[in-house]
Amino acid sequence: MIRLLIILTISASLFGCNPKPKNQPTNLSQENLVLATIWFQHSPEARALYFQGFNIAKERVMEFKKLKSDKPKAVVVDLDETMIDNSPFQGRMIETGSPFTVELWDEWVNKQEARATPGAVEFTQFCQAVGVDVIYLSNRTVGQQEATMANMQKLGFAYLNPSNFYLKETISGKEPRRIAVSEKFEIILLLGDNLNDFAECFEKRETDWGHSVTDQFREEFGRKFVVFPNPLYGEWEKNVYGNQRVTDEQLKFKMRREAIKSF
């Protein structure tokens, strides 16, 4: 009897000290990101879409570089989820159940561990070889420029000069920075994962989620604008929540369900 009690005590002690498995769900408030993050990180379709986008971009660069211009030519590219893969940041949000915070984002940026999206590094090297500048226009903040450039240096990106970076100071809208770039360069192509990366008009999405303004520019996609896939986040989310800041997770769940079309 005494021997049995000792065995049971040791067993209870061992099981009580076992750490909780890393991926055991403890907070499901970011569960809506799971499939999108898995798709972005692992699906060959996502990889193929990046290769496709950069292949199209190379064709457009070779086409447009032949046009005469008084200014040097440049391709304007977004960074996050266009040239740089930040999906581990979404992974952390899923693991912890934590929403986006500036502090958590700063921690990720300063780790300098983002990977390049498929084909991104090679595209910048291609542009450098044919004499077309690459301008990095991103809503990463100017305070994150040093860490961002160090991360990209490790990955082999071309055009890592401070003058090639147009990061956010106070205004999230990119139009003033695009205008500043156009004063120095002839912008021949824009690459991004968010329609706001291309023109100011895409910021006005109204109740139709921006379909009407997108349709007006249908001939520009694949020609002047090259779009990359991002199911993780974006301006499109605002319409899900009625263009309001919603923090209640139950209400957000309900609004996401209401946005889905069914039969």
Side-chain angles (χ1 to χ4, degrees), residues 74-86:
V75 177
V76 172
V77 303
D78 174 55
L79 285 178
D80 300 313
E81 279 52 73
T82 298
M83 311 301 282
I84 297 174
D85 173 359
N86 298 287

Side-chain angles (χ1 to χ4, degrees), residues 95-139:
E95 281 187 354
T96 62
S98 302
F100 175 93
T101 65
V102 173
E103 294 75 20
L104 188 62
W105 176 246
D106 280 337
E107 180 183 346
W108 164 248
V109 171
N110 288 324
K111 286 176 73 68
Q112 303 175 22
E113 292 182 358
R115 297 180 299 177
T117 56
V121 171
E122 295 83 355
F123 176 73
T124 65
Q125 294 171 346
F126 166 83
C127 289
Q128 188 173 54
V130 300
V132 173
D133 273 66
V134 174
I135 301 297
Y136 301 107
L137 200 160
S138 166
N139 275 348

